[in-house]
Amino acid sequence: MARTVIPFGPQHPVLPEPIQLKLELEDETVVGVMPIIGYIHRGIEKAAELNDFRQNVFICERICGICSFIHALTYCEGAEAMTSVEVPPRARFLRVFWSELSRTHSHLLWLGLLADSMGFESLFMQIWRAREMILDISEMTAGHRIIQSTCIIGGVRRDIDKEMAKEVDKRLLAFKEMLDSTIAPVLLRDPTIKRRAVGKGMLSKEQAELLGAVGPTSRGSGVAIDIRQTGYAAYKEVGFEPVVETAGDSYARTLVRAREVYQCVELMRKALSMMPEGEILVRVDGYPEGEAMSRTEQPRGELIYYFRGNGTNNLERLKIRTPTFANIPTLLVMLPGCEMADVPVITLSIDPCIACTER
Amino acid sequence: MSTGWLIGSAVIAVIVAPLIGGLLRGIDRKLTAHMQGRIGPPIMQPFYDVIKLFGKERCVAGKAQLVFGYAYLTLIVTAVVFFALRQDLLVVLFILFLGCIFLAIGALSVKSPYSQLGGHRELLQFLAYEPILLLAVVPIALKLQSFRIATIFESGQPLLPHLWLSFIALLIVLAIVMRKSPFDISSSEHAHQELVRGLVTEYAGPYLALIEIAHWYEMVLLLSILGLFWVVGSLWWLSIIIALGSWFIILIVDNISARLTWSWMLRFTWVAGISLIGSNILFINLGWM
Amino acid sequence: MGILSTSRMKSPWLLHFDCGSCNGCDIEILAALTPLYDIERFGIVNMGNPKHADVLLVTGPANHRNYRVLRNLYQQMRDPKGVIVVGTCGCTGGVFHNCPNVLGGIDKVIPVDVYVPGCAARPEAIIDAVVLALGKLKAYGK
Amino acid sequence: MPWMFPTIWKNLFSRPVTRRYPFKDIREPFPGYRGKIYFDTNKCDLCGDCARVCPAEAIEVDSENKQIKYYPFRCIYCGTCVETCLQGAITQDEHYSPPNTEKIEELYKIEA
């Protein structure tokens, strides 16, 4: 059988982001895959050394527009550790709220894209319709639909007052009801979705550990790792249990994300109700000095920032390791042997965020 | 029926079929949008698309592809003419198949891997529905002792009560020809697919418009074949309702299912289609239907 | 207004290329296709194939690697065609203006018809921009 | 398959949720949306703080010619300048900056 090489990307409607997968096909079976990256590299790590360390929050936020708040949060946690700033408790709870808000919107976006990659257009539309409710909450509380821009070093920029918290709670409940009534039954029971996802892109627990998979990719294979367990921001107070599935296929990863959406809604409501009164922002004096690390859980997995400062306005080094970078190797295990038609489903099942990976 | 009348109806069919096809596509897009909670494009949208495509700059990957594209359109139109002339149903189907083969060959005649894969899948898709479509004619012939469409019109007996099993098998064929989920493997209506409408990737501008028009003819022809199941008797208008009803069912199924893979499609259409038609033939032979 | 230019106005097919953006504008473009904004009511479909598309939507700043891809895509598109840049970083570089691998705005690589500011641009702004870009398609050949 | 059916059937017979922008149903943005930036030429004292904090360098303060150049197509609408300005000379509108066929820049002449 003749081998065909399909250039999957860098421009492809199923993968909105420019990553190229060179798929070697035998008939319709994938025998080899070669991810080619670098189309979206901007050099943010270098730019972060050129900018004032306070301005870096905004550039870090724009590493990835989907989980922008969590990038800003990770940066701020590290910068606060270096400048020895104690963040007020109310700000920590607000940070949990916005983190979970961006996680919800990221997971919904992903679930929609998955449905789209399977050709299930009406489900895609339904999920994105539900997602608009989350974006409305974001616009109401943070002033923008996707890039919240509320986290800065020393706390947060916007407060959520009692009235707004009540409104948010109301909207969250409405959102949950929509999930329950229209989306969850389809995702959980639809036979065509199961046929496309169950058993596709198998990743065993051993392989996940060996390849260093993070986030829902590893949790779908039964590895219960979630950085929120470390209790950064206010996760310790809010309380948290990771969502784990054991099957290790694309469907398990779908279920992890679908269940996490529910968990996020609960966490958001908890964070709002447990939020103490007080300051939301403290003044930052002093400049970053020494070294620091900060780890957070992005919708896609563990995000690590490494900082080195020398007591000036600028950082000496900022190193970012994003979850997709850790998850791409798993594609090399999952893709070979699958059918061409399953490539989008399997590739999407790690939720690749190329903008994060290449920065 | 006089020859003049028949030729007149053939001319009308050639002119009206794409109009009906385009209109149905427009309503299809509108209804699909409504099912998804959207407003959707205007009903005349397919015509705007096609006219716009005629105004685009010409671009073709290879002369051969162009020839195959034209051959596809011509053969489909010929099939429609033969249908309107009430000729042999088998001839109509074979001309239709030939046209579809030319479409696949057209896609295979260029080097683009997407087009190649699309062509392969089109052939597989063809392999899936061709036997069903052909076999579905057999019970009609068994019932009426003739393959001629004119005989169906003259028989005085609606076919559906006897052949509803074959009718269901034809619904599967309709879904495949309309490229709807779960069978939209070679080129889906929307380009959000791994092959980016692989089949027509290399057709652009006016040539894409030709393919689109041929597609409208194809859909109308299939719907007319479905309509044949009730063309006689006082309730002759039921044929139109049957055709539109089956078209609507396909729309619903499209919106409630995901795209499946070609291997599943081949298995499903063969097992379901052949067993439906086989039992239909059996029942006719046993005199139950 | 002839029937051809009416049709051009009524059926602009999109090609979306992410040229190094943060995904913010990309998901807003997708969001514009979904029920609440539904740009399909203007006949807009996301085609994903440069040969079929009339309007190229670019997000993000051009960089040293992907500008060739961008130029290729633009050249593969058939006339009449328009280019819309969505998002501040695609207009000028925006927050990435001093990133070492960024060339700057998209207009350094291909001619641009409409600029959409905003980080990220709202779906409403994208609809406005498509309406603006239609003007170019309408004027084609006159 | 059947689990999607109730949803699409309900959608088919109810009014679409689409906001008919730009014809009608134009929704006002939520209060506090980060939109266009305006400068108050009476309050500004040309200190240049806004230009220093701007992450996108979208503001240029020219104290010699007493003018401020603002580039809406460079601005990322983060609102840092609004928070930084001690004079309260910068305000942020709740409406987004409109698209344009060319990259305009805005010039503010400062009177004081």
Side-chain angles (χ1 to χ4, degrees), chain A residues 146-184:
Chain A
I146 40 186
I147 300 209
Q148 277 92 355
S149 256
T150 42
C151 191
I152 51 170
I153 301 170
V156 289
R157 285 162 79 190
R158 288 190 189 221
D159 199 359
I160 298 179
D161 56 23
K162 278 243 166 57
E163 221 168 281
M164 196 185 269
K166 216 181 261 170
E167 174 70 20
V168 168
D169 204 55
K170 210 176 81 194
R171 281 167 186 260
L172 282 177
L173 285 178
F175 164 72
K176 204 174 153 194
E177 204 200 293
M178 177 152 182
L179 269 189
D180 278 331
S181 62
T182 63
I183 294 162

Side-chain angles (χ1 to χ4, degrees), chain C residues 9-58:
Chain C
M9 297 278 291
K10 293 258 186 186
S11 131
W13 286 354
L14 296 186
L15 172 70
H16 165 221
F17 180 56
D18 175 343
C19 195
S21 87
C22 70
N23 285 343
C25 300
D26 305 86
I27 52 181
E28 290 295 56
I29 290 171
L30 270 183
L33 288 164
T34 55
L36 261 71
Y37 295 96
D38 185 32
I39 49 174
E40 204 188 342
R41 68 205 147 99
F42 305 111
I44 299 171
V45 188
N46 187 359
M47 284 319 267
N49 182 344
K51 284 191 171 180
H52 299 174
D54 305 294
V55 177
L56 175 62
L57 275 184
V58 192

Side-chain angles (χ1 to χ4, degrees), chain B residues 1 48 86 106 145 160 166 180-181 205 221-222 228 230 247 259 266:
Chain B
M1 194 85 44
Y48 294 134
R86 303 189 179 177
Q145 316 303 326
L160 192 62
S166 319
K180 292 290 187 191
S181 287
L221 184 62
L222 246 291
L228 275 185
W230 205 308
W247 173 81
R259 176 188 310 125
L266 212 56

Side-chain angles (χ1 to χ4, degrees), chain B residues 4-248:
Chain B
W5 204 90
L6 274 179
I7 291 173
S9 67
V11 172
I12 292 172
V14 169
I15 298 167
V16 172
L19 297 181
I20 298 176
L23 204 62
L24 281 180
R25 269 298 284 142
I27 301 172
D28 164 351
R29 281 175 71 175
K30 192 89 186 168
L31 281 180
T32 305
H34 269 268
M35 286 180 203
Q36 293 165 353
R38 302 182 286 133
I39 292 179
I43 287 173
M44 302 300 277
Q45 187 61 42
F47 297 108
Y48 294 134
D49 287 350
V50 162
I51 295 170
K52 176 208 73 179
L53 283 172
F54 276 119
K56 289 278 278 187
E57 192 187 341
R58 271 152 212 274
C59 157
V60 66
K63 285 253 169 59
Q65 200 192 16
L66 207 59
V67 174
F68 292 126
Y70 276 116
Y72 171 55
L73 177 66
T74 321
L75 283 165
I76 300 279
V77 174
T78 317
V80 171
V81 169
F82 271 66
F83 187 89
L85 291 176
R86 303 189 179 177
Q87 291 301 306
D88 204 321
L89 199 49
L90 276 182
V91 174
V92 173
L93 290 183
F94 277 118
I95 297 175
L96 178 70
F97 294 155
L98 195 57
C100 297
I101 292 267
F102 272 120
L103 179 65
I105 295 177
L108 289 169
S109 69
V110 284
K111 272 190 169 171
S112 149
Y114 282 97
S115 186
Q116 289 270 335
L117 264 184
H120 272 294
R121 283 199 185 176
E122 177 70 12
L123 285 176
L124 283 167
Q125 192 164 307
F126 185 63
L127 186 64
Y129 77 75
E130 183 228 31
I132 314 300
L133 195 50
L134 213 51
L135 277 178
V137 181
V138 176
I140 300 181
L142 273 180
K143 200 76 200 158
L144 303 173
Q145 316 303 326
S146 163
F147 282 109
R148 285 175 62 81
I149 297 171
T151 324
I152 302 174
F153 277 91
E154 287 154 13
S155 67
Q157 268 288 322
L159 290 168
L160 192 62
H162 310 282
L163 301 177
W164 55 273
L165 284 172
S166 319
F167 185 81
I168 296 172
L170 278 179
L171 280 186
I172 303 173
V173 176
L174 181 67
I176 298 176
V177 170
M178 280 171 69
R179 307 181 195 291
K180 292 290 187 191
S181 287
F183 305 112
D184 49 348
I185 60 159
S186 76
S187 88
S188 65
E189 293 294 355
H190 277 266
H192 281 218
Q193 185 221 14
E194 65 268 16
L195 289 185
V196 207
R197 303 181 86 194
L199 196 58
V200 292
T201 301
E202 295 301 321
Y203 287 103
Y207 310 116
L208 183 65
L210 291 181
I211 301 284
E212 193 67 32
I213 291 175
H215 200 145
W216 295 347
Y217 272 116
E218 202 182 340
M219 188 172 79
V220 171
L221 184 62
L222 246 291
L223 287 175
S224 320
I225 291 176
L226 284 175
L228 275 185
F229 280 73
W230 205 308
V231 280
V232 283
S234 55
L235 296 173
W236 59 270
W237 43 267
L238 263 181
S239 67
I240 297 169
I241 293 183
I242 286 171
L244 291 181
S246 27
W247 173 81
F248 185 70

Side-chain angles (χ1 to χ4, degrees), chain C residues 33 48 68 70 118:
Chain C
L33 288 164
R68 291 190 208 96
L70 179 64

